[in-house]
Amino acid sequence: MEAVYRHVARAVISYQDKILIAQLKGAHSFLPGGGVETGESCEMALQRELSEELGLKDVSVKRFMGVMEDSYLENEKVIHSISHVFEVNCPSSELENHYPHPESKEDHLQFYWLAPTRENLENHNVLSRSVPELISNFMTEQKPFFFTDMQHISRRKKV
């Protein structure tokens, strides 16, 4: 089975005691952001992705929150994803325009605000599976978090 590796930058954007969640229309939810391109830093990727997805222009990384390492099956491929998660600052003046109904600039995505409790994140199936723990841990411990879920890679090696 073919394996594909992805380097991803994800943003936690807070406003009015909620965080911004992206959703692939008709599918799963996730933290905003996307793939880091060759020659691009995580901060540059977040600036580009948030501009493309929401039109946010003044985006800056505030703090590193953690790393999520995941594997999952997609179209007969094992996707191995490393996601760096950052707390991201945007001026209130920009976020006001996206509250309470964020407007997506991309047809395949929609966005919504969610109170960042473990229960809410789990009930909304915000992926990766470690997002609820990462955010909960960071809010209480204020320390970076590392999570790995290599279930598909491990199974493949045993076969």
Side-chain angles (χ1 to χ4, degrees):
M1 190 174 297
E2 182 182 354
V4 176
Y5 296 91
R6 295 190 68 219
H7 179 204
V8 180
R10 296 277 174 220
V12 175
I13 300 171
S14 300
Y15 188 70
Q16 301 290 332
D17 297 323
K18 295 185 178 171
I19 62 171
L20 189 63
I21 302 295
Q23 183 177 34
L24 190 60
K25 287 184 178 174
H28 60 278
S29 296
F30 51 93
L31 296 173
V36 178
E37 296 176 358
T38 302
E40 191 175 53
S41 68
C42 287
E43 183 170 21
M44 291 166 60
L46 287 171
Q47 290 167 339
R48 176 182 50 75
E49 289 284 349
L50 294 171
S51 176
E52 291 171 1
E53 294 171 355
L54 288 155
L56 297 175
K57 300 297 181 202
D58 193 6
V59 173
S60 63
V61 167
K62 180 177 177 183
R63 288 187 287 186
F64 173 69
M65 294 179 70
V67 173
M68 300 179 298
E69 178 181 41
D70 299 284
S71 70
Y72 54 93
L73 294 174
E74 183 179 278
N75 300 325
E76 302 296 317
K77 296 178 183 175
V78 175
I79 309 297
H80 181 141
S81 177
I82 306 290
S83 297
H84 289 85
V85 183
F86 299 90
E87 185 177 19
V88 169
N89 277 342
C90 297
S92 293
S93 58
E94 278 198 85
L95 294 178
E96 285 172 357
N97 298 328
H98 290 284
Y99 191 85
H101 305 290
E103 187 176 318
S104 177
K105 301 288 184 197
E106 297 185 350
D107 291 338
H108 66 286
L109 292 176
Q110 57 192 26
F111 293 86
Y112 60 95
W113 295 96
L114 184 67
T117 66
R118 181 185 295 265
E119 182 179 30
N120 278 347
L121 293 162
E122 289 172 353
N123 288 341
H124 283 256
N125 194 29
V126 178
L127 300 179
S128 121
R129 293 179 348 157
S130 59
V131 166
E133 191 170 351
L134 182 145
I135 291 176
S136 174
N137 176 73
F138 195 80
M139 290 173 64
T140 57
E141 302 290 324
Q142 296 291 306
K143 294 178 185 174
F145 174 83
F146 174 76
F147 179 86
T148 187
D149 178 6
M150 300 301 295
Q151 59 183 337
H152 296 293
I153 300 292
S154 297
R155 285 188 195 140
R156 186 177 64 143
K157 287 181 180 177
K158 290 179 184 176
V159 175

